[in-house]
Amino acid sequence: MLLKQILPNCALHSNRVNGDNRGSLIAIEAEREVPFKIERVYFVYDTQPGVERGFHAHRSLEQWLICVTGSCVIAVDDGRTRHEAVLDTPEKALYIGPGLWREMHDFSPGAVLAVIASARFDESDYIRDYDRFLAIARGEQT
Ligand code: TYD
């Protein structure tokens, strides 16, 4: 369920929880819970105190981020405005579409960030330079 539309291609969602007296379970299915075919899943964990990660945009990748344990903050930036989303429960998910700069910070000790992605790792999909990102976002560069 949509919790908050942050940008046209970035939104905070709630994951549907199957809970009973044994505990809770969240299931993620391609093209149902996430709006794309799942090609890759990766986990960021063991983050050291004070680290910041990300600092890139993707040309076409779509991602669905869930902090399955602990918490972290994801900043997203479309070249005009910057927004922050707090992921502090597996019941929240952040969808990040193409063309957005992202930075991750404030990982709690032991945090595990799961990232579900629409494509395999492809370095050519990355924009790692912020000025270049801004130029692309403004349509000045490809
Ligand atoms: P990096 O892009 O620096 O992670 P973050 O976005 O969290 O800052 O990735 C760290 C390393 O892992 C880098 O050498 C690339 C590699 N990597 C893969 O091999 N496959 C992947 O799916 C990802 C996301 C990264």
Side-chain angles (χ1 to χ4, degrees), residues 25-97:
L25 183 154
I26 290 169
I28 307 289
E29 293 190 12
E31 297 176 292
R32 294 181 76 165
E33 279 74 21
V34 296
F36 51 80
K37 285 192 176 159
I38 298 168
E39 288 285 339
R40 174 169 52 126
V41 178
Y42 62 92
F43 301 90
V44 177
Y45 64 100
D46 250 355
T47 48
Q48 299 306 301
V51 293
E52 298 180 299
R53 303 189 60 119
F55 295 89
H56 62 257
H58 286 284
R59 294 177 184 278
S60 61
L61 190 73
E62 296 177 85
Q63 292 175 311
W64 187 267
L65 289 78
I66 302 171
C67 198
V68 294
T69 299
S71 63
C72 65
V73 178
I74 317 287
V76 286
D77 176 347
D78 64 357
R80 287 187 301 271
T81 51
R82 184 186 163 99
H83 301 266
E84 290 202 331
V86 179
L87 296 181
D88 54 1
T89 162
E91 296 177 16
K92 279 192 212 163
L94 182 68
Y95 170 76
I96 307 181

Side-chain angles (χ1 to χ4, degrees), residues 94-134:
L94 182 68
Y95 170 76
I96 307 181
L100 296 174
W101 187 264
R102 84 286 314 276
E103 297 171 13
M104 294 96 126
H105 60 93
D106 281 2
F107 289 89
S108 66
V112 180
L113 176 65
V115 182
I116 296 166
S118 64
R120 293 185 179 192
F121 180 73
D122 173 10
E123 188 58 43
S124 69
D125 191 61
Y126 280 72
I127 305 162
R128 294 193 183 272
D129 179 78
Y130 188 70
D131 289 334
R132 178 133 195 250
F133 162 72
L134 286 180

